Amino acid sequence: METEHKNNKRVYLDHAATTPPDPRVVEAMLPYLNTHWANPSSIYVEAQTTRRAIDQARQSIANLIGANTSEVVFTAGGSESDSLALRGVLAASKRRGNHLITSAAEHHAVLDTAEQLEIDGDADVTIITINSQGQVDPNEVAASVREDTVLISVMHANNEVGAINNIDAIAHAAREKNPHVLIHTDAVQSVAHLGVNVDELGIDLMTFTSHKVYGPRGAGALYVRSGTPLAPQALGGGQEERRRAGTEDTAAIVGFAVALNIASHERETNLAHERTLQRRLIEELPKRISLSGITGPTSLDDRLPGNVSAVIGFVEGESILLALDLAGFAASSGSACTTGSVEPSHVLTAMGVPEDLARGSLRFSFGHSNTDEDVNRLLNELPSIVERLRELSPIATTEAPAHWQPWLQS
Ligand SMILES: Cc1ncc(COP(=O)(O)O)c(C=O)c1O
């Protein structure tokens, strides 16, 4: 796919939406698609091979995140893991309470699950605000913790603006108020980039997924600390120690483990490369486009490597994306999961970005195969696209309204 992009002179700048599978991952998966396809729960000898492959993948992933093997539950992806964490813990903790705390910046897999739990009367939900850079304040979380708080779910790194949260500080502050509270983090975007360790983060549950780390789509995991109450949400078979029923996708699980392993070994090189491209675009974009600004953390230390999010005044993000697509670029406006919707990003509006400016949001996310040349091309094309769109707009002026000022750098 990536090679195809290159040959067609297409530039893929949407690695936060999904990543191309690493050829080494595909190679490792093939035997489990072609030959070793037996149901791992069966008792015959063919099944022992697939069972062993899953056990090894679980062991490898557990080692990489500092967990025990029995604490890794395979799922079909990040959304399922988020849903299992919230629903599973609340359903198993009814005697302790039903208070759930989460943040306004979460992925919809968490926010919509929390909302549905509340509608169904299964949770009393508190949504914590975020600051203007997209981060959660540990003290705000602690201030919301009650005696009946069962679970706190705060993402490790935000998929739209790249803001990294201090999960350890959040967990610490919350437990000072109520030592029984359980902490879940969605580490879908951070697991490859930052190299997470469950003890260092101080969490009880963690969501991560294969297709954001150059693995295949269709495999994910939920880390569940030993002793954490969790009611299964998919019932039937006894797979995953009765925590998630369903015949395992051996090939996808093997690919997931190989992808995470590669990410771990090549982290430093990839990080440095993505930081270089990211820094250049963050510095240059506002210089080349009037009435624009970078959103998210100002310090790169607080920002996911590879993420560049921006707002551009007097243009619709979706219109820019269509024009960029025609010019050969694949990018995103806010979250890919909400592409097609005309609502401004819930993350940007929670940060305080005015709605009329948030409509002009863009997200670029770099990956291994991007080059300096990709950034050059983007910086050459984007200003003229914006200019063309503004010429068509009846409301565009050269002056920014006063309420945009704090968000613009040009
Ligand atoms: C932060 C975050 N959580 C959850 C998900 C959902 O993961 P999946 O696509 O594997 O279901 C995504 C995907 O965009 C994400 O970015």
Side-chain angles (χ1 to χ4, degrees):
M1 188 74 165
E2 197 71 353
T3 326
E4 240 175 70
H5 285 310
K6 292 287 176 208
N7 292 344
N8 298 336
K9 300 230 179 315
R10 289 195 58 84
V11 179
Y12 186 70
L13 299 175
D14 204 15
H15 293 82
T18 199
T19 46
D22 187 301
R24 292 166 287 181
V25 168
V26 177
E27 193 66 27
M29 290 171 68
L30 284 176
Y32 298 95
L33 291 167
N34 290 326
T35 314
H36 308 302
W37 39 260
N39 187 325
S41 300
S42 303
I43 56 163
Y44 32 81
V45 69
E46 289 89 341
Q48 287 166 18
T49 309
T50 46
R51 167 61 43 211
R52 206 173 314 116
I54 292 174
D55 289 347
Q56 281 167 0
R58 198 187 309 277
Q59 176 77 60
S60 161
I61 290 175
N63 288 346
L64 288 170
I65 61 168
N68 297 320
T69 28
S70 61
E71 295 175 319
V72 175
V73 178
F74 285 122
T75 65
S79 303
E80 188 193 333
S81 296
D82 281 341
S83 176
L84 175 59
L86 268 58
R87 289 183 172 281
V89 166
L90 278 150
S93 309
K94 285 192 173 141
R95 265 185 298 167
R96 274 195 40 229
N98 75 343
H99 186 220
L100 166 67
I101 299 174
T102 189
S103 93
E106 298 303 304
H107 189 273
H108 278 292
V110 166
L111 282 179
D112 292 1
T113 303
E115 187 186 350
Q116 194 58 49
L117 281 164
E118 187 149 57
I119 289 168
D120 294 343
D122 292 326
D124 180 12
V125 181
T126 299
I127 310 242
I128 300 288
T129 54
I130 49 172
N131 68 17
S132 61
Q133 303 199 14
Q135 289 165 309
V136 173
D137 177 353
N139 295 323
E140 274 221 37
V141 178
S144 298
V145 172
R146 313 189 307 218
E147 217 165 273
D148 64 338
T149 304
V150 171
L151 181 67
I152 295 172
S153 180
V154 174
M155 71 204 316
H156 191 201
N158 181 265
N159 45 304
E160 294 188 33
V161 298
I164 299 171
N165 282 313
N166 188 342
I167 298 298
D168 176 42
I170 290 169
H172 194 79
R175 289 201 185 101
E176 284 212 330
K177 191 99 177 277
N178 176 350
H180 304 296
V181 80
L182 296 168
I183 316 283
H184 166 249
T185 194
D186 177 333
V188 160
Q189 295 288 341
S190 60
V191 73
H193 289 107
L194 305 180
V196 298
N197 176 289
V198 292
D199 286 340
E200 284 169 16
L201 288 181
I203 42 102
D204 303 289
L205 302 114
M206 182 177 81
T207 290
F208 50 122
T209 191
S210 156
H211 73 102
K212 311 277 189 186
V213 301
Y214 298 83
R217 276 136 293 277
L222 181 66
Y223 159 77
V224 185
R225 189 175 290 281
S226 171
T228 303
L230 187 85
Q233 299 303 300
L235 306 172
Q239 291 93 346
E240 300 302 303
E241 294 186 15
R242 302 205 167 275
R243 292 167 294 184
R244 194 265 192 183
T247 303
E248 301 90 336
D249 184 339
T250 312
I253 288 171
V254 166
F256 184 14
V258 172
L260 264 188
N261 203 27
I262 293 172
S264 160
H265 283 99
E266 300 179 358
R267 180 165 296 123
E268 294 308 316
T269 319
N270 291 332
L271 218 90
H273 177 63
E274 288 171 20
R275 279 270 187 244
T276 307
L277 303 178
Q278 175 188 41
R279 192 175 290 117
R280 173 117 198 283
L281 187 56
I282 285 179
E283 281 169 9
E284 288 296 319
L285 190 145
K287 286 188 199 156
R288 308 231 185 163
I289 299 174
S290 63
L291 308 183
S292 71
I294 301 295
T295 49
T298 45
S299 161
L300 279 193
D301 289 342
D302 292 336
R303 192 176 196 115
L304 269 181
N307 167 287
V308 179
S309 57
V311 281
I312 301 181
F314 297 125
V315 279
E316 293 275 339
E318 302 295 314
S319 308
I320 304 182
L321 286 188
L322 290 175
L324 277 174
D325 191 20
L326 286 175
F329 299 90
S332 159
S333 70
S335 156
C337 309
T338 53
T339 296
S341 124
V342 287
E343 291 298 306
S345 141
H346 69 283
V347 178
L348 293 179
T349 48
M351 284 161 59
V353 179
E355 280 203 16
D356 51 350
L357 181 59
R359 287 184 191 282
S361 76
L362 289 177
R363 178 191 69 185
F364 303 103
S365 42
F366 294 110
H368 306 350
S369 64
N370 290 126
T371 61
D372 290 342
E373 181 49 29
D374 293 343
V375 184
N376 290 341
R377 271 188 62 194
L378 180 68
L379 286 168
N380 282 336
E381 298 273 353
L382 193 54
S384 53
I385 288 173
V386 171
E387 206 172 301
R388 273 204 319 273
L389 290 170
R390 281 181 181 159
E391 276 167 13
L392 297 173
S393 162
I395 56 159
T397 68
T398 51
E399 285 292 309
H403 67 290
W404 287 5
Q405 291 297 350
W407 303 96
L408 301 181
Q409 282 130 37
S410 62

